[in-house]
Amino acid sequence: MQSISVEVVARCSKCGADVVAKNSAVANFIRGGKSIICDNCRRSGRQWTKATYHEYLKSAHWQAMKQKALKRAGNKCQVCACTRSLDVHHNDYSRLGGELMTDLVVLCRGCHELFHGVMP
């Protein structure tokens, strides 16, 4: 990722602490007016709300990460090798907004639903 040239600061939506952007993706997320959670709140087990998570999934940063994960997986489900209806699933939500590729796995819709217990 590119480094940022201007320090961008926002307030944590949970505790109100200053959050300084650590990279350009986070800076753009903050500049876009999206709410953000500081590392302390994220580490302490306070999770993003469903609403902010769904907003994040619409961000340019997430879309880029999703495309990288799909490319890495050869545009196939990493469980059954299906090539249709692919989702990128977070294995680890602790770095949400700053995911590592190892935090992500590509699953077809069926495997993703099974993983979450939607289907028997």
Side-chain angles (χ1 to χ4, degrees):
M1 291 199 178
Q2 301 171 349
S3 62
I4 57 173
S5 59
V6 177
E7 186 174 278
V8 178
V9 180
R11 295 265 181 215
C12 173
S13 63
K14 295 285 185 183
C15 70
D18 285 344
V19 178
V20 178
K22 296 176 184 171
N23 58 53
S24 59
V26 175
N28 290 335
F29 195 73
I30 292 169
R31 285 187 191 115
K34 305 296 184 192
S35 61
I36 195 159
I37 297 174
C38 71
D39 289 340
N40 288 336
C41 287
R42 199 166 34 250
R43 281 189 206 111
S44 70
R46 290 183 247 162
Q47 298 297 314
W48 288 33
T49 66
K50 283 188 177 185
T52 57
Y53 178 70
H54 288 291
E55 285 179 13
Y56 171 64
L57 293 181
K58 296 175 190 172
S59 72
H61 175 257
W62 171 248
Q63 293 303 313
M65 292 299 292
K66 179 179 176 181
Q67 290 307 311
K68 286 179 189 176
L70 288 165
K71 183 177 180 180
R72 182 193 68 194
N75 288 303
K76 292 187 240 176
C77 174
Q78 291 179 267
V79 174
C80 72
C82 178
T83 58
R84 290 178 281 136
S85 301
L86 299 175
D87 295 328
V88 178
H89 170 78
H90 283 89
N91 284 323
D92 182 347
Y93 292 92
S94 67
R95 289 182 284 265
L96 206 56
E99 297 92 349
L100 302 175
M101 290 308 294
T102 55
D103 296 335
L104 306 174
V105 63
V106 175
L107 301 170
C108 69
R109 185 66 41 90
C111 288
H112 201 179
E113 289 176 350
L114 283 170
F115 181 84
H116 285 287
V118 175
M119 295 171 48

